[in-house]
Amino acid sequence: MGIPLHAIVSSLLVDGTWSLPPARSEAQVELYSSLTTIQLAPTQDYYEWEINGQVYTTYKTGQLYDYLCEPRPDVFWHKAVWISRAIPRHNFHAWLVVLNRIPTRDRLINWGIQVDDRCLLCNSNQESRDHLFFTCNYSYDLWQIIARRLQLLPQRDWQATLDQMISLSTQTPQQILTLLAWQATLYWLWTERNARQHTNTFRTVDQIFKLLDRQLRSKINSFRDSNPNRSSTMLQSWFRFG
């Protein structure tokens, strides 16, 4: 249109007349017609967001989402899944696991897909969400190692484990560490399951733990700049029984 990339609207108005190249399409004609109706003010323009009658100077997706969607009460497990300073992909994966929406083999069979129903980790029982976390011997062996470091009594039943995580109601370094480690365990077990499914590669429980341990320590160290005391407390708790 011949307008400089960084031009502002007022730069196109010279002595009360719009300085614009001839229109070359119907869209430009409509744009020019709209421009002639604009009364430019001498004050600086600004923007604001109005949601449900309340004016905001910043845009927040969460506020708009809550306004557009029907309000619903928090689910009882939200504090165990949506934790602050968590690893985002672990948050998301834990959310899918709690909702039982990961494509385990029992679900694939229910969708009409012909697959072997045996667990890819232990190769003995039917694979399901509840079996993977932590009825499966392989996954339970990993969870035992993690739980021992957290001074936690490991449960083999999925609902019992979830209830255990939900009961951690206080925002202490130990609680945050426990939830971070639990979510990391879910994530790395599912990663190992998928690696066996798609690339036919197998890792031992000890190898998975080393990957999880390295990632968790890196995450804890990332707290050091904003909260060095929390970082030190969590590292001490993690290493105390390691």
Side-chain angles (χ1 to χ4, degrees), residues 53-108:
Q54 187 170 354
V55 176
Y56 300 89
T57 57
T58 58
Y59 176 82
K60 294 183 178 180
T61 305
Q63 289 176 330
L64 185 59
Y65 179 85
D66 290 339
Y67 171 70
L68 294 176
C69 296
E70 180 182 351
R72 295 182 180 182
D74 289 334
V75 291
F76 68 94
W77 43 258
H78 75 282
K79 290 184 179 180
V81 174
W82 303 115
I83 58 177
S84 62
R85 301 297 298 274
I87 299 174
R89 61 180 179 270
H90 291 190
N91 269 156
F92 181 73
H93 179 258
W95 175 62
L96 292 178
V97 173
V98 170
L99 293 176
N100 197 15
R101 291 183 181 174
I102 54 174
T104 49
R105 285 182 160 182
D106 64 326
R107 298 192 71 217
L108 295 178

Side-chain angles (χ1 to χ4, degrees), residues 87 89-90 134 139 141-147 149-150 177-191 203-220 238-239:
I87 299 174
R89 61 180 179 270
H90 291 190
F134 298 98
S139 62
D141 286 345
L142 177 63
W143 181 231
Q144 279 186 303
I145 297 173
I146 304 299
R149 290 209 170 201
L150 300 171
L177 174 63
T178 300
L179 292 176
L180 285 173
W182 173 66
Q183 292 190 4
T185 305
L186 302 182
Y187 177 83
W188 281 105
L189 284 171
W190 185 247
T191 299
R203 288 174 293 199
T204 66
V205 168
D206 288 338
Q207 288 174 319
I208 295 296
F209 173 75
K210 288 180 180 179
L211 294 171
L212 187 155
D213 175 59
R214 187 183 306 120
Q215 184 183 49
L216 200 58
R217 278 185 287 157
S218 296
K219 183 61 182 178
I220 295 171
W238 182 245
F239 287 120

Side-chain angles (χ1 to χ4, degrees), residues 20-173:
L20 297 166
R24 305 174 73 176
S25 68
E26 288 299 323
Q28 282 185 254
V29 172
E30 292 181 11
L31 174 60
Y32 291 178
S33 298
S34 178
L35 283 175
T36 59
T37 65
I38 297 176
Q39 298 294 323
L40 299 184
T43 57
Q44 182 71 30
D45 287 341
Y46 67 96
Y47 64 88
E48 60 186 20
W49 300 94
E50 183 176 337
I51 302 175
N52 203 24
Q54 187 170 354
V55 176
Y56 300 89
T57 57
T58 58
Y59 176 82
K60 294 183 178 180
T61 305
Q63 289 176 330
L64 185 59
Y65 179 85
D66 290 339
Y67 171 70
L68 294 176
C69 296
E70 180 182 351
R72 295 182 180 182
D74 289 334
V75 291
F76 68 94
W77 43 258
H78 75 282
K79 290 184 179 180
V81 174
W82 303 115
I83 58 177
S84 62
R85 301 297 298 274
I87 299 174
R89 61 180 179 270
H90 291 190
N91 269 156
F92 181 73
H93 179 258
W95 175 62
L96 292 178
V97 173
V98 170
L99 293 176
N100 197 15
R101 291 183 181 174
I102 54 174
T104 49
R105 285 182 160 182
D106 64 326
R107 298 192 71 217
L108 295 178
I109 292 173
N110 287 336
W111 296 341
I113 302 175
Q114 299 300 316
V115 295
D116 185 348
D117 70 343
R118 286 179 297 177
C119 172
L120 285 154
L121 297 180
C122 68
N123 201 36
S124 57
N125 298 99
Q126 184 186 57
E127 183 183 272
S128 65
R129 187 274 310 273
D130 291 10
H131 171 75
L132 284 174
F133 313 112
F134 298 98
T135 304
C136 170
N137 290 331
Y138 180 98
S139 62
Y140 185 66
D141 286 345
L142 177 63
W143 181 231
Q144 279 186 303
I145 297 173
I146 304 299
R148 183 168 61 248
R149 290 209 170 201
L150 300 171
Q151 296 181 268
L152 197 68
L153 180 64
Q155 304 288 336
R156 300 200 74 149
D157 179 73
W158 162 254
Q159 189 59 52
T161 302
L162 180 59
D163 291 341
Q164 198 174 33
M165 297 301 109
I166 295 171
S167 67
L168 304 171
S169 58
T170 56
Q171 286 288 334
T172 63

